[in-house]
Amino acid sequence: MKKLIAIDGNSLMHRAYWAMPNMSTKSGVPTGAVYGFINMLLKLLQYEPDYMVVAFDMHAPTFRHIEYKEYKAGRRETPDDLIKQFDMIKKMLSLMGIAVCECEGFEADDILGTFSVIANNNDIEALLVTGDRDSFQLVSDKTHVLFTKKGITDTIEYDVEEIKTQYGLTPKQMIDLKSLMGDNSDNIPGIPGIGEKTALKLLEKYSNLENVLEHATDEKGALQKKLIEGKESAKMSYWLGTIKTDAPVTLTLEECKFDKNNLSNASEYIIQLEMRSLAGKLPKGDTNFVKDVQASHNIEIKTINDESGIEQLVQKLLDCKRFAFDIGERFTVSVEEDLEYEIVIGGESLFDVGLDDAFVMDRLKKVFEDNKIKKIVFDAKKHMHTLSRYDVKLAGVEYDIMVMDYLINAINPADSLEQLTFTKMNGAKAGAGVLFIIYKDMADELEQLSLKKLYDEIELPLVEVLYDMEKTGVRVDKNVLEQLGSGFSDIISETEEKIYALAGEKFNILSTKQLGNILFEKLALPHGKKTKTGYSTAQDVLENIYDAHEIVPLILEYRTISKLKSTFIDGMISQLSASSDGRIHTSFNQTVTATGRISSTEPNLQNIPTRTETGREIRKAFVSSENNVLVGADYSQIELRLLAHMSADEKMIKAFNDGVDIHRMTASEVFSVEPEFVTKEQRSAAKAVNFGIVYGISDFGLAKNIGTTRKMAGEYIKLYFERYSGVERYMKESVEKCKENGYAITLMGRRRDVPELKSSNFNTRSFGERVAMNMPIQGTAADIIKLAMVKVYNELKENNLKAKLILQVHDELIIDTPEDEKEKVSEILSRCMQNVMKLSVPLTADIKSGKNWYETK
């Protein structure tokens, strides 16, 4: 059966806007909602629609507003930077050949309802995509609702059965439910005093609103009075809540025909809006489009599928100064701009014609390992891993296009050659030919942006360092993990029983809805506004009511331990079971964060908590190799030291040079007491101020962190800036300089565009100001740790030591070394880290060693 997808454009745009981080072009044009919307639209392709229509509300009042002026009154105003994006999404949909429908006097809901009926009458299934529960009334055997539960990615498909499971109602009874309980978000009154529980009981008893009102006198007491007095309000609410299925839409079903090949027609506009990752996800259309684009770039493709062809290619490569290659879906090599060689590797089919991969790698080994022959590649680290499987080392990488693109486009780097190719060459087929065409322009751009030194001295050499760390891995003691897991399970069980006892019943502690009901209805704890999805039980909400009831700390502990166990204990045990060497081989991401920080995945070592003893216990499982020891070093307060240097604040510089406790000194300055009389609480508050200043913290944020009033927190910040006037001046100058240049920059030249400063939205601009203040500090810290890694790695190699750099987490480096190399390694680590950059204050790194990671802290 054919399928129509009808999208509530307003609902999806609002969801996307609030779900996505701040996004904009370099000129400040907001794009986050458009990005989220198109991402969701691309996910819908899995349903293989034959028709598609996107419905939008119009600015004019609807028939509901005319009849009931309070309809949707009190809704917050649509942000200016979201309003701007509605015209952008409509233009993009038009380019994609997707029908857009608006109907004066009617809402997007009514358009969806009308199209569902039109589709069903033509024996076509309808899938309605929306975040509005009102749409549930439209569900039938041929119409389902894809409901966006949270953000735009968390969805659930509702059919008749799912509505019955969730609510115990039929789709049509959803209107009855709303008419009884009302809807705060739409300002539909319902019957005052009747909530969801009572409404559901009434419908279970009387089936629909009409019968409920007819039997109002059968009820007793307060409920009877509410039903009698609220009769007209309920009827009005029923009328307001009923979606029209006969709106006067002018579009025909035929005009809503969908062809995914047309989506690529919006690629130029998407690239114009600087949404490169989206452009790469668009279906490319028919193959003629790709061929035409390739032809326009004069890339001739020669196929190599026999041994003589490989021998000729090897000779050509041995004679060249540099070449580009890519090993992905295709194995391609290019020595010149207009020619690409595609090496055909044989497959499993009897009819596949191609070469044996091991033979090819054996013949190319001397080329890949020749350091004098320079290579152009996208993601050299990935290719190092690929080649290592054939005992081939990759040497002589001159241009890693992925790293170069990351330095040029820090806030929106390409994550694949396909994506980069699509944005830079209009959809040409990704391969070595493209790499050879674009590398010169990108090298020139690095020069123009003064990024070449950063690339040559830090980012390019770091590729080999990270590859070696990933290849080596870190030894993990499975027995320690299992013991920790068993202990965590016991804590979880004990905490669970305590929570059940305090709640007076068993429930799913990790269910937001069930937990919300227990905390805010049964226990009547303070809560925020209840929404359609229930009460928020987010971390910050529970922390705000930490002392309101003894159940709250237990719930927070339960969540923490449960996450530690599932994410790290269970996750790493699973990885170890699949490992052949008893090691965890995490992936270090060099080109992800806009500040330059390295991140890691599988597992994400940056997320192992260090503030709690329970979290720190996990580090005991990370152990040295047999007969080895771990040597670790951690930069001490590197960001505060950089703040002192970059702000040139005399007091702060003197404090670090004199080796005094910076937090105690700050407390002494802010609270006007002698250092020896500073209390523990005052030092903690000063520490929060010190670190908060680096991140551009507000009085509200500081008040929340240290548990004081907003007024008092504001006073602390004011006193801080009075005492450290150089810091205040630096912060203001950073923002002004960033506004003038359009980007923030580190001491080593790393850039981060800050288009948020041009936004018309106050919150977005404020975010941009915080970035302008903290990116130079955070980014310089990232540059320093990266450069230290390169220097340490090179010294270990130059000294022919067996020691291996195995971990980098935040400002910490860990080396796995034989016992007899421990002193030498400690000296190298200390010297390289502390002398990596000359500042007006010392960089200090504390060296510790032990048999496991826990002992190095």
Side-chain angles (χ1 to χ4, degrees):
M1 187 179 288
K2 289 185 175 182
K3 178 168 287 184
L4 161 82
I5 290 183
I7 301 170
D8 183 336
N10 286 75
S11 171
L12 203 60
M13 282 291 282
H14 275 87
R15 293 266 174 165
Y17 177 80
W18 296 109
M20 297 301 298
N22 293 315
M23 288 180 65
S24 60
T25 65
K26 289 179 182 178
S27 62
V29 176
T31 58
V34 174
Y35 181 92
F37 188 106
I38 299 299
N39 241 330
M40 181 63 181
L41 189 147
L42 294 176
K43 286 184 174 68
L44 295 175
L45 298 184
Q46 65 182 297
Y47 293 96
E48 300 181 352
D50 301 281
Y51 306 89
M52 188 178 288
V53 61
V54 181
F56 289 99
D57 296 340
M58 295 184 78
H59 294 304
T62 67
F63 67 90
R64 294 182 181 87
H65 291 93
I66 293 168
E67 185 70 25
Y68 182 64
K69 287 183 170 51
E70 298 304 308
Y71 180 61
K72 292 191 176 180
R75 278 198 171 187
R76 62 182 170 187
E77 290 291 316
T78 303
D80 287 342
D81 54 349
L82 172 56
I83 292 172
K84 293 174 184 175
Q85 295 181 67
F86 275 93
D87 286 339
M88 292 157 61
I89 194 66
K90 290 172 187 176
K91 177 179 177 179
M92 195 167 292
L93 292 170
S94 175
L95 290 168
M96 291 175 163
I98 296 173
V100 170
C101 187
E102 296 172 309
C103 193
E104 189 170 351
F106 292 82
E107 296 177 72
D109 277 354
D110 302 313
I111 297 172
L112 262 60
T114 301
F115 269 102
S116 68
V117 169
I118 293 172
N120 293 172
N121 289 342
N122 285 275
D123 202 27
I124 295 169
E125 291 181 343
L127 180 68
L128 312 180
V129 183
T130 179
D132 193 338
R133 280 184 169 79
D134 291 347
S135 61
F136 292 171
Q137 64 186 268
L138 300 170
V139 168
S140 66
D141 291 339
K142 288 184 182 178
T143 295
H144 293 179
V145 168
L146 187 66
F147 182 70
T148 52
K149 291 195 297 180
K150 184 180 180 183
I152 51 174
T153 55
D154 187 6
T155 60
I156 181 170
E157 186 171 342
Y158 279 89
D159 56 13
V160 175
E161 236 0 86
E162 186 62 33
I163 288 175
K164 186 176 180 181
T165 301
Q166 292 276 351
Y167 296 94
L169 303 174
T170 65
K172 292 302 178 190
Q173 284 179 305
M174 295 301 293
I175 313 174
D176 300 299
L177 179 66
K178 189 167 188 173
S179 65
L180 288 167
M181 63 180 282
D183 183 349
N184 288 335
S185 66
D186 286 344
N187 203 33
I188 293 177
I191 296 179
I194 290 184
E196 185 176 358
K197 281 185 179 179
T198 304
L200 287 170
K201 286 179 182 177
L202 288 169
L203 291 176
E204 184 180 4
K205 195 172 183 180
Y206 299 116
S207 182
N208 57 46
L209 175 66
E210 187 178 346
N211 286 338
V212 169
L213 296 178
E214 280 184 9
H215 291 85
T217 54
D218 294 346
E219 297 301 316
K220 296 178 181 178
L223 179 57
Q224 181 191 88
K225 185 180 179 184
K226 288 174 186 175
L227 291 173
I228 292 171
E229 292 180 353
K231 180 178 180 179
E232 294 307 316
S233 178
K235 287 182 177 179
M236 169 62 80
S237 298
Y238 189 92
W239 181 82
L240 287 170
T242 301
I243 292 174
K244 291 284 188 182
T245 57
D246 57 354
V249 298
T250 56
L251 277 177
T252 65
L253 202 56
E254 189 66 22
E255 290 173 298
C256 298
K257 273 193 172 179
F258 174 75
D259 182 352
K260 71 177 182 181
N261 290 320
N262 291 330
L263 297 179
S264 60
N265 294 334
S267 60
E268 189 176 339
Y269 186 48
I270 287 176
I271 293 166
Q272 182 185 326
L273 292 176
E274 299 171 18
M275 298 188 292
R276 308 168 72 200
S277 58
L278 267 190
K281 293 177 184 178
L282 293 181
K284 303 299 187 294
D286 58 43
T287 53
N288 289 330
F289 172 72
V290 174
K291 287 177 181 175
D292 289 345
V293 173
Q294 277 195 313
S296 70
H297 288 288
N298 301 314
I299 302 176
E300 179 189 352
I301 298 177
K302 284 189 177 179
T303 300
I304 296 177
N305 58 11
D306 57 31
E307 294 184 11
S308 65
I310 281 292
E311 297 299 342
Q312 291 173 30
L313 178 62
V314 169
Q315 193 54 52
K316 182 179 280 288
L317 295 176
L318 287 171
D319 293 338
C320 76
K321 289 183 178 179
R322 69 172 55 84
F323 70 93
F325 76 95
D326 183 63
I327 305 172
E329 290 185 10
R330 302 186 305 137
F331 187 168
T332 57
V333 176
S334 185
V335 187
E336 49 200 302
E337 281 193 13
D338 59 351
L339 182 62
E340 179 179 273
Y341 296 94
E342 182 172 350
I343 302 169
V344 181
I345 303 297
E348 298 176 0
S349 167
L350 292 173
F351 301 101
D352 281 340
V353 178
L355 293 156
D356 176 69
D357 56 346
F359 167 78
V360 171
M361 293 303 183
D362 180 66
R363 301 306 298 141
L364 288 171
K365 181 179 174 74
K366 55 189 172 186
V367 177
F368 283 128
E369 295 186 349
D370 191 330
N371 195 51
K372 293 177 183 176
I373 304 173
K374 301 305 177 184
K375 285 84 178 177
I376 306 162
V377 66
F378 186 96
D379 194 355
K381 179 159 67 73
K382 180 191 79 172
H383 285 84
M384 286 174 178
H385 282 295
T386 300
L387 293 174
S388 72
R389 296 199 290 267
Y390 299 93
D391 193 30
V392 175
K393 293 180 181 178
L394 178 59
V397 174
E398 182 180 24
Y399 296 107
D400 187 333
I401 301 298
M402 182 176 81
V403 175
M404 294 166 74
D405 179 70
Y406 168 63
L407 290 179
I408 295 166
N409 301 288
I411 60 174
N412 193 16
D415 57 19
S416 68
L417 178 56
E418 287 72 22
Q419 184 190 117
L420 186 70
T421 301
F422 195 78
T423 57
K424 280 193 171 292
M425 296 184 65
N426 230 4
K429 202 170 186 180
V434 168
L435 289 172
F436 212 95
I437 287 171
I438 65 177
Y439 88 91
K440 289 178 185 174
D441 286 342
M442 294 190 71
D444 288 345
E445 197 167 356
L446 280 182
E447 288 275 14
Q448 291 163 12
L449 298 175
S450 301
L451 290 165
K452 191 168 189 310
K453 186 177 180 183
L454 182 66
Y455 173 77
D456 288 337
E457 295 183 7
I458 299 180
E459 295 294 352
L460 183 60
L462 185 68
V463 172
E464 182 183 336
V465 179
L466 296 178
Y467 160 73
D468 194 70
M469 290 168 67
E470 291 178 0
K471 189 76 175 169
T472 303
V474 56
R475 189 173 173 222
V476 175
D477 191 326
K478 192 175 181 181
N479 291 330
V480 173
L481 283 180
E482 288 172 342
Q483 288 170 16
L484 285 171
S486 176
F488 283 178
S489 293
D490 290 343
I491 295 172
I492 290 168
S493 297
E494 290 168 13
T495 308
E496 198 173 54
E497 290 307 314
K498 289 177 184 176
I499 291 170
Y500 292 156
L502 290 169
E505 64 179 272
K506 288 188 174 183
F507 65 101
N508 182 354
I509 301 168
L510 298 178
S511 163
T512 298
K513 186 173 182 179
Q514 292 183 38
L515 178 60
N517 288 338
I518 292 290
L519 295 179
F520 306 125
E521 292 190 0
K522 186 171 184 178
L523 299 179
L525 300 184
H527 58 80
K529 185 178 178 182
K530 186 179 182 182
T531 65
K532 288 183 180 181
T533 54
Y535 300 99
S536 170
T537 61
Q539 182 86 0
D540 59 338
V541 172
L542 297 190
E543 286 174 352
N544 285 337
I545 57 168
Y546 190 88
D547 298 321
H549 194 286
E550 57 187 311
I551 197 173
V552 180
L554 291 172
I555 289 165
L556 288 169
E557 182 182 11
Y558 180 86
R559 282 181 176 177
T560 300
I561 303 297
S562 297
K563 187 173 182 180
L564 285 176
K565 184 176 184 301
S566 62
T567 303
F568 293 107
I569 305 299
D570 298 342
M572 287 197 291
I573 287 175
S574 175
Q575 285 188 41
L576 282 174
S577 300
S579 171
S580 59
D581 59 2
R583 290 174 176 267
I584 293 289
H585 298 269
T586 190
S587 294
F588 292 101
N589 306 311
Q590 183 180 355
T591 61
V592 172
T593 66
T595 58
R597 284 277 189 187
I598 296 169
S599 64
S600 64
T601 51
E602 297 180 353
N604 181 355
L605 300 176
Q606 321 285 342
N607 273 2
I608 295 177
T610 57
R611 292 183 181 178
T612 63
E613 185 58 33
T614 310
R616 287 192 290 269
E617 287 284 311
I618 295 174
R619 292 186 170 213
K620 290 180 178 177
F622 290 78
V623 298
S624 63
S625 300
E626 198 169 343
N627 301 320
N628 276 18
V629 64
L630 297 183
V631 175
D634 194 352
Y635 277 120
S636 171
Q637 301 171 336
I638 186 171
E639 291 184 349
L640 286 179
R641 292 171 188 272
L642 285 170
L643 176 62
H645 173 81
M646 295 168 80
S647 68
D649 186 274
E650 293 179 3
K651 279 187 180 179
M652 195 173 279
I653 289 172
K654 186 176 188 306
F656 279 119
N657 284 327
D658 291 348
V660 304
D661 180 339
I662 189 69
H663 302 313
R664 182 172 293 277
M665 194 195 88
T666 298
S668 172
E669 293 283 351
V670 170
F671 298 111
S672 298
V673 296
E674 292 300 316
E676 59 267 29
F677 296 119
V678 169
T679 66
K680 183 180 177 182
E681 291 73 23
Q682 287 173 330
R683 185 183 183 278
S684 293
K687 184 177 181 179
V689 175
N690 271 330
F691 285 117
I693 292 296
V694 175
Y695 292 89
I697 201 166
S698 65
D699 52 1
F700 176 79
L702 180 61
K704 190 174 175 184
N705 287 351
I706 63 176
T708 189
T709 65
R710 188 169 180 176
K711 183 180 179 182
M712 185 62 72
E715 189 63 24
Y716 289 163
I717 293 173
K718 180 185 173 187
L719 287 169
Y720 180 96
F721 283 136
E722 285 176 2
R723 300 298 190 271
Y724 300 112
S725 57
V727 173
E728 184 177 31
R729 183 185 63 251
Y730 165 75
M731 292 297 186
K732 289 179 178 177
E733 287 176 355
S734 294
V735 174
E736 290 308 310
K737 193 182 294 183
C738 195
K739 284 179 179 176
E740 184 181 333
N741 297 331
Y743 58 86
I745 190 166
T746 70
L747 291 179
M748 294 188 186
R750 184 182 302 279
R751 296 161 60 117
R752 195 263 197 212
D753 291 321
V754 191
E756 295 88 351
L757 287 174
K758 297 177 182 175
S759 174
S760 59
N761 180 277
F762 174 79
N763 290 333
T764 303
R765 279 199 316 279
S766 298
F767 170 78
E769 289 174 0
R770 290 194 298 275
V771 169
M773 288 186 275
N774 66 47
M775 185 275 169
I777 297 169
Q778 291 179 41
T780 301
D783 293 341
I784 284 173
I785 194 77
K786 283 180 170 179
L787 185 54
M789 291 170 73
V790 171
K791 288 182 178 294
V792 168
Y793 177 81
N794 288 339
E795 284 227 21
L796 294 178
K797 281 181 71 175
E798 288 164 9
N799 285 275
N800 295 314
L801 298 173
K802 294 177 182 176
K804 287 278 196 178
L805 182 60
I806 58 168
L807 283 179
Q808 182 275 327
V809 179
H810 302 303
D811 303 319
E812 180 181 10
L813 297 181
I814 303 290
I815 295 175
D816 189 358
T817 180
E819 288 272 7
D820 60 0
E821 293 181 0
K822 175 184 167 184
E823 295 306 317
K824 178 69 174 174
V825 166
S826 297
E827 185 276 327
I828 289 173
L829 188 57
S830 176
R831 175 166 43 81
C832 287
M833 289 183 73
Q834 295 186 155
N835 297 324
V836 71
M837 183 183 239
K838 184 68 176 171
L839 301 174
S840 56
V841 297
L843 280 173
T844 62
D846 304 320
I847 306 291
K848 288 188 179 179
S849 62
K851 282 294 183 180
N852 60 57
W853 189 10
Y854 182 88
E855 293 174 1
T856 68
K857 287 294 288 181

